[in-house]
Amino acid sequence: EVQLVETGGGLVQPGRSLKLSCVASGFTFNNYWMSWTRQAPGKGLEWVASITNSGGSTYYPDSVKGRFTISRDNAQNTLYLQMNSLRSEDTATYYCTRGGYYGDWFAYWGQGTLVTVSS
Amino acid sequence: DTVLTQSPALAVSPGERVSISCRASEGVNSYMHWYQQKPGQQPKLLIYKASNLASGVPARFSGSGSGTDFTLTIDPVEADDTATYFCQQSWNELTFGSGTKLEIK
């Protein structure tokens, strides 16, 4: 059974940093692109970042480019999202998703971790 | 960005057929995917690449379309299908529709 378990969310002040983690199990982690997708409270879904299966390439939308960094440790079956210079509009539940970028879809989702950016 | 437009809400009775539409601001080939999100839960993949049923999804769900106009059909609708349904394209970066909230009367 595929499982994606996110941790690391919480309350953080604007301008500060936070790092999310996602531990994957039930599939061969290093065979798949991985992504982060977020959902602001009561709102829709927004893609945040994708990384190739090797970790050699990463992709971001303009809304987070230069502030967020996606990475992975294939030996530990773990995906990360480093979030810097956080803003109130980054407040959302962040989902770890199996799937990538062009032409791909998000086949599996974690349960999500809530990030609240507020002073 | 490719904008995906969905109607905000629909209400149907159990046993009926419902079609949920998604229109893209530009062509996305067949790279349209559909997700179901029940309250308090993470989204779940239903349909990938316009018309392919995801593993474990009941055959009551189907998808169609190409280019700019896509449809998710549920036939027959069951009470458990109460949820918000999102479309997502992966032809031009990755964007989601704003979701269609389905109410079962």
Side-chain angles (χ1 to χ4, degrees), chain A residues 35 37 39 43-47 50 60-62 65 95 100-111, chain B residues 1 31 33 35 37 41-45 47-49 55 86 88-98:
Chain A
S35 300
T37 301
Q39 186 171 34
K43 301 295 184 183
L45 298 163
E46 181 186 18
W47 165 67
S50 294
Y60 308 91
D62 288 344
K65 196 175 294 182
Y95 295 103
Y101 195 42
Y102 283 123
D104 207 354
W105 51 91
F106 301 124
Y108 295 95
W109 299 62
Q111 85 288 347
Chain B
D1 288 2
Y31 291 96
H33 324 293
Y35 302 87
Q37 185 176 34
Q41 296 185 18
Q42 69 268 49
K44 172 189 171 185
L45 178 69
I47 300 288
Y48 63 94
K49 285 193 71 180
S55 177
F86 294 94
Q88 176 241 324
Q89 65 81 23
S90 57
W91 181 249
N92 179 16
E93 287 215 342
L94 303 175
T95 54
F96 289 87
S98 56

Side-chain angles (χ1 to χ4, degrees), chain A residues 27-109:
Chain A
F27 64 100
T28 305
F29 185 68
N30 60 13
N31 281 354
Y32 291 90
W33 288 45
M34 297 292 294
S35 300
W36 290 95
T37 301
R38 69 184 179 184
Q39 186 171 34
K43 301 295 184 183
L45 298 163
E46 181 186 18
W47 165 67
V48 171
S50 294
I51 188 167
T52 58
N53 57 322
S54 67
S57 294
T58 57
Y59 304 88
Y60 308 91
D62 288 344
S63 58
V64 306
K65 196 175 294 182
R67 299 189 300 123
F68 289 11
T69 302
I70 188 173
S71 61
R72 65 192 295 162
D73 181 341
N74 284 344
Q76 298 294 323
N77 286 358
T78 302
L79 180 72
Y80 301 101
L81 184 68
Q82 176 68 47
M83 303 183 293
N84 299 332
S85 303
L86 283 162
R87 306 166 180 168
S88 58
E89 56 263 37
D90 296 318
T91 294
T93 295
Y94 285 73
Y95 295 103
C96 170
T97 52
R98 195 184 89 176
Y101 195 42
Y102 283 123
D104 207 354
W105 51 91
F106 301 124
Y108 295 95
W109 299 62

Side-chain angles (χ1 to χ4, degrees), chain B:
Chain B
D1 288 2
T2 301
V3 176
L4 303 182
T5 301
Q6 297 183 246
S7 53
L10 288 170
V12 298
S13 299
E16 291 185 345
R17 171 190 171 111
V18 64
S19 293
I20 298 171
S21 66
C22 178
R23 174 164 288 178
S25 60
E26 56 189 320
V28 298
N29 202 312
S30 63
Y31 291 96
M32 185 67 77
H33 324 293
W34 291 92
Y35 302 87
Q36 176 194 62
Q37 185 176 34
K38 296 181 178 179
Q41 296 185 18
Q42 69 268 49
K44 172 189 171 185
L45 178 69
L46 296 176
I47 300 288
Y48 63 94
K49 285 193 71 180
S51 60
N52 297 277
L53 197 64
S55 177
V57 175
R60 303 184 293 105
F61 293 87
S62 63
S64 62
S66 67
T68 60
D69 291 298
F70 297 84
T71 302
L72 171 71
T73 299
I74 312 172
D75 186 17
V77 166
E78 297 181 356
D80 188 52
D81 297 333
T82 296
T84 300
Y85 293 84
F86 294 94
C87 56
Q88 176 241 324
Q89 65 81 23
S90 57
W91 181 249
N92 179 16
E93 287 215 342
L94 303 175
T95 54
F96 289 87
S98 56
T100 296
K101 189 170 185 178
L102 181 64
E103 176 196 341
I104 312 301
K105 299 176 196 173

